[in-house]
Amino acid sequence: MTLRRWLSWAGVATLVAVAVLTGMRPAGPSGDDDRAVAIAESLRCPVCQGLSVADSDSETARAIRSDIVRRIAEGQADGDIRQAYVERYGEWILLRPRGGGLGTVVWLVPVAAVLLAGTAIAVVGRRRRRLWRLLATEQDRNVVAAARRSRRSGDGPNGRGATGHDRASSRTGRVGGEVR
Amino acid sequence: MLTTAVNKAALGTTAITVGFAAAAFGVAYLAVGLWRCDPRWLRIGRRMVAWVLGAGLVASGVMEWALVSRDFSLAYVADNGSRSTPLLYTVASLWGALEGSILLWVVILGVYLAAMVRRLRRSKGFDPAGAWATLTGLAVAAFFFGLMLGPANPFAPVDGPVPTDGPGPNPLLQNHPLMAFHPPILYAGYVGFTVPFAYAVAALTTGRLDEGWLASTRRTTLFAWGCLTVGIVLGGWWSYEVLGWGGYWAWDPVENASLLPWLTGTAFLHSVIVQERRGMLRLWNLSLVTATFCLTILGTFLTRSGVINSVHSFTQSPIGPWLLSFLGLSAAVSVGLIAWRADRLRAAGHIDSPLSRENAFLINNVLFAGFALVVLLGTVFPLVAEAYDGRQISVGEPYFDTMTRPLGFALLFLMAVAPALPWRAASGDVLHRRVALPAWVAAIVMAAAAVVGLRGLAPVLALGLGTFALAVIVRQYATAIRAQRRSGSVGWLAAPGAVVRSNPRHYGGLVVHVGVVIFALAFAMSSAFSTDREVSLDEGESARLAGYRVTYQGVASSQEGDRDVTSARLLVERDGRRLGVYEPAVTRYPTQTVGTPSVHTGLWEDLYLTVVRLPDGDGPATIGVRVNPMVLWLWVGAGIMAAGTALALLPRRTIRSRSGDTPAQSAPVEAPHVPAVAGEGSS
């Protein structure tokens, strides 16, 4: 059973890996057009309200788009093209703030917060669980096991915990969730 | 003419003054009643809510009258009305600008408070929690009426001589009917979160920190959440149909402002369930509710104070400092109260196993809170940075995409697994049985799609995780139907309905999840695979893109009131089949020129046409042609989410069992604090 279960999950994992690896293969060679669009998407349209150069129909955005295409044709690197615009308009033109200095805050704070919260939950949860386990005696555990056994024979393997909502129906002797 | 004009201003101002006075008196009466423990004072205080609602209705009624009768002696009408504006947009211009939108705000708040007081009427005798909740609600109402008496007076007379006509609403606000519905629905969501906030304050002040306040506000919170969801999506739809840049969501500050309370509100709807079941997360839930309320005020501040430039921001005014102070006050009161009661907010239970429903909800909350933090930082940071050292920084779409995508996928995964997890602890057996088949289905769909030619990590993952979530839900529903059927009381045809009726909240939630999956899939596909081109076409010339053929047939001009509409006639064919003539247009208003896209909406993809440049004389016109896949499914997904919310709002109906047992009540709180032994699965 356990082996079968492992094999089953290994199969799922293989399929997912195949899907992700196949899916990540680019559809065609990444051309200059894609580069131009990517750069345009990362620059703010200077005369619009919160639109990128790629999304805007304004004359300015159009001029920048053709300038980007020209610079790519000249062989400039993506970073250099962006830098040229930063020199002309300031950091403000970049829709994706650069790390370093003040811009680091927007990148680091959320990542740190989520990681910290996750760790805290794991640590506190484990500590609390250990505490409760210490408090439960062997006798308590037997009582719980007996109760579980009786429920299992009563109304299915998972009882009312099955879908987590059928409190009412299990009270009337009906199970909304799992019956096997 | 002049006399009626004066009367309208006087009438409106009187109504607002009455509203403010009623709210202030209500607060005072309730405070005295609470101080003296006297229900008579409380009853009078509660009655003030009717006056607040009435005053709000009268004031907005007067404003609508002034707008419709085009009474330009009022500054608001002179600024936002015009003789040539159609009736729908004239009525809708009540919420087209700042002062009017605050009128709408107090009316909606009045309705929510009236509904709250109606419920409270049933409680006999001295009810401090209800009184505190009413007091908080009235204090919020007093603030907004105060705004209209102070810096945002909707009935201010026009400066100088009364004009004979006005400029009309902002052009962007009068070329799509969605604008008539989007703001009121969004506001119904925003304002609705005042009610759970008021109850949270009541729970904190009275010290009744059990699950009672959650039960009292469950419906209102859910309703507000549903409205907010629909409001946000309608905003995106409006953006798509009107603004003409081809997208529906740009991580624009105003969009973000509406998304923030939605994120914390969604976290709250989930974590509430943990508190109801297990008595845990009390402090967290109170924090989430107060944060959600504060975020609605922050959103109003960002939208209405003119601190940010946005395509959705149509007002600039001096109310910024007022709103900011109110936000600071609300936050300080909330934090202070929670800190004061912190010792009583210890969790009674604990999480038995990482593989449990409650732990899934907890992770859900971390992810939603992280999501909200990303959006908040990205929205507010440029303002803060500029205030801090004068540097101008932009935080835009690429940042939000990078940061929210992993969170979105983690949430999708959780949404798939969590409904399959039992409370307390899952054994390996249970989990395997519930998840293995859906996981196989998802993996096969994912791999097949990739092999067939679906490209890009985001679309492949969205498809896989979405299928996974759907398969888990379908499996669970099917199992429940079979169980219902086996218990013998209902037939095959009745069983699916009976299962849902037995717990509309649970199944409503699952329907919302189905909507989310469809929405997420459409979002991923339309972001990844839209193609666009700009073409310059002479009359009679055609262009091809992605199987479509667009033929330019010349321009048509027309004069509608004060606006001058020039549209390009475009014949659209697909694979030789004629789809019709589409007319994207450029409209010249006296104040502004606005482009309007024309969209051919298809089941699987939209053809989105815009006029980029009108021809000079007989020269070529420049047309923007864009193919956006699956956009229709965004609106379908949102509709399903709304339907699920409505389902979850239904009262639980109990099915009479054959054995004649007592029908279960819809009591949402079960005795939660039963310590259990951890980690004893059946494996």
Side-chain angles (χ1 to χ4, degrees), chain B residues 330-411:
Chain B
S330 313
V333 167
S334 313
V335 172
L337 282 173
I338 291 174
W340 176 44
R341 292 296 191 191
D343 58 327
R344 292 208 202 176
L345 289 168
R346 291 268 161 69
H350 70 286
I351 289 182
D352 298 321
S353 154
L355 274 183
S356 61
R357 182 79 66 87
E358 47 270 55
N359 201 47
F361 279 129
L362 203 59
I363 299 170
N364 151 307
N365 269 241
V366 170
L367 294 173
F368 269 112
F371 205 131
L373 186 63
V374 166
V375 177
L376 181 67
L377 264 179
T379 311
V380 175
F381 187 72
L383 296 173
V384 177
E386 198 179 341
Y388 173 67
D389 67 351
R391 267 213 295 166
Q392 290 199 320
I393 292 181
S394 299
V395 179
E397 205 168 337
Y399 165 79
F400 290 108
D401 282 349
T402 313
M403 293 296 272
T404 56
R405 213 171 265 168
L407 290 168
F409 285 126
L411 281 167

Side-chain angles (χ1 to χ4, degrees), chain B residues 580-621:
Chain B
V581 174
Y582 288 81
E583 301 194 347
V586 171
T587 308
R588 285 200 191 83
Y589 291 84
T591 46
Q592 204 178 340
T593 300
V594 174
T596 308
S598 181
V599 188
H600 167 74
T601 306
L603 191 59
W604 297 111
E605 59 188 27
D606 285 5
L607 182 69
Y608 193 95
L609 299 161
T610 49
V611 176
V612 177
R613 204 178 301 138
L614 284 169
D616 299 325
D618 287 339

Side-chain angles (χ1 to χ4, degrees), chain A residues 5 23 92 95 106 129 148 165, chain B residues 352 394 396 399 429 456 680:
Chain A
R5 195 183 294 166
W92 175 85
L95 283 171
V106 276
R129 274 195 290 281
R148 283 202 173 149
H165 65 273
Chain B
D352 298 321
S394 299
Y399 165 79
D429 273 338
E680 290 199 351

Side-chain angles (χ1 to χ4, degrees), chain A residues 19 39 77 100 125-126 132 140 177 179:
Chain A
I39 295 174
R126 178 181 288 191
W132 279 94
D140 297 337
V179 176

Side-chain angles (χ1 to χ4, degrees), chain B residues 465-480:
Chain B
L465 292 173
T467 314
F468 189 21
L470 284 184
V472 168
I473 291 171
V474 167
R475 188 198 160 279
Q476 191 184 95
Y477 187 44
T479 315

